[in-house]
Amino acid sequence: MRMTKWDYVAFPILAALLLGVTYGALRLVGFFGLGVLGLVIGFIAVRMDLERDGASSVLAEQFKARERMSRAERAGLQAEQAFRLKPLFVAQIVATGFIILGFGLHFLL
């Protein structure tokens, strides 16, 4: 995953926003609630990652369509999927952090 110029600009802003949301959620629901919020975000992100190709009934048709694509079309499709999956990766990292921070500190304290 290569970083673009936009990523270098957006990262500090999004990190500060994430810290603010984490602090707000922590004050609102506590450590256990933060862990549950992490589980919900993680479940949604993993579910979307597993279903990125569509429903199982449409999957066979998609494989047939991919076989008929040229190499350039397949490369374009793979690039588009990689671009769409980038936010899912970030959501999985955030969910993991919420789960570790929430449940870890809940059971520690």
Side-chain angles (χ1 to χ4, degrees):
M1 230 174 5
R2 301 191 73 177
M3 298 274 289
T4 63
K5 291 179 184 178
W6 170 249
D7 292 336
Y8 288 115
V9 172
F11 181 74
I13 297 168
L14 293 176
L17 183 67
L18 178 64
L19 287 174
V21 168
T22 303
Y23 179 74
L26 189 61
R27 297 289 293 167
L28 186 64
V29 295
F31 291 122
F32 188 77
L34 191 65
V36 170
L37 181 65
L39 283 176
V40 169
I41 292 171
F43 175 77
I44 291 169
V46 168
R47 181 78 180 198
M48 288 177 68
D49 190 23
L50 290 174
E51 292 181 356
R52 67 177 170 249
D53 289 330
S56 60
S57 62
V58 183
L59 199 56
E61 294 174 20
Q62 288 180 355
F63 281 126
K64 289 178 186 175
R66 284 186 191 149
E67 289 175 3
R68 292 189 301 263
M69 286 183 181
S70 67
R71 290 180 64 194
E73 289 173 333
R74 266 186 257 157
L77 180 66
Q78 288 176 350
E80 180 183 337
Q81 283 183 340
F83 181 74
R84 285 186 318 187
L85 292 178
K86 192 174 183 180
L88 281 177
F89 178 72
V90 172
Q92 289 172 346
I93 296 297
V94 169
T96 303
F98 277 7
I99 292 168
I100 292 170
L101 180 71
F103 289 134
L105 291 178
H106 174 73
F107 292 117
L108 185 65
L109 301 176

